[in-house]
Amino acid sequence: MEVVIVPDAKAGGELIAEAVAQLLRRKPDALLGVATGSTPLPVYEALTAKVRAGELDASAARIAQLDEYVGLPAGHPESYRATVLREVVEPLGLGPGSFMGPDGSAEDVQAACAAYDAALASAGGVDLQLLGIGTDGHIGFNEPCSSLASRTRIKTLTEQTIKDNARFFDGDVGQVPRHVITQGIGTILEARHLVLLATGEGKADAVAATVEGPVAAVVPASALQRHPHATVVVDEAAASKLKLADYFRHTYTNKPEWQGL
Ligand code: F6R
């Protein structure tokens, strides 16, 4: 796992957007796995700026959703489908046909989960999966003690995650759905490159456990240690509890430029 410490969220967004741009120059129809929430917004903004400045042609890119609330009415503005369309697909000038995600309003949720797992595989797999991290160490919505081999399935959000996400529902925990469909940890680990972005002091404990703790289901993001190409980009605040911070700074400063992320 490579850990890159950046000064702030904007710098993290620009660094990751450049890695995505390099991927799209190499493979224009790459399948990009995207997360929602606050953390990835600087990445989407930086990517959109590159497209608008004519530095990047993202027109053939394909977008795959990481997770989805269960039970929100279709088109609800906080559904992750609506969020990804608004924050990624539309700003990049892509059509809805470029986008895939699980159906959170399906009657048969289990069938919808299996169908999404199969659709990801038949699309050739995710080339780069962008991840955020929960304060409890979740990735996607694989809450603590999720199986490290799990596939896309329904999960119940923890009380902490419901509280954390209430800000998207007028601060009302009662409006936050209790269930989600999430790519499983086993599914996420199949992406060819995992890039986790964490910003802010509130993520510092989860980042330290992910990077320097043991691989353990109680910290789902620690599964990244088992991936051959995982990059963790953290701002100074999120890095504040890393014992090896100076080592990570040293290795990144001395990294050959051609390697990219
Ligand atoms: C959302 C997702 C979650 C978030 C995490 C952090 O699609 O997969 O794992 O990345 O809850 O959320 P923020 O970035 O809002 O702190």
Side-chain angles (χ1 to χ4, degrees), residues 66-86:
L66 181 58
D67 38 26
E68 180 59 281
Y69 287 119
V70 170
L72 287 181
H76 188 289
E78 292 308 329
S79 74
Y80 286 162
R81 176 176 297 254
T83 304
V84 170
L85 288 173
R86 186 172 64 237

Side-chain angles (χ1 to χ4, degrees), residues 35-40 66-67 80 132-134 138-141 167 203:
T36 52
S38 308
T39 311
L66 181 58
D67 38 26
Y80 286 162
I133 185 171
H138 69 223
I139 46 171
F141 280 115
R167 67 189 193 283
K203 302 292 173 69

Side-chain angles (χ1 to χ4, degrees), residues 11-26:
E14 280 164 5
L15 183 71
I16 296 172
E18 183 51 34
V20 173
Q22 283 178 19
L23 168 64
L24 289 173
R25 287 179 194 122
R26 222 171 41 242

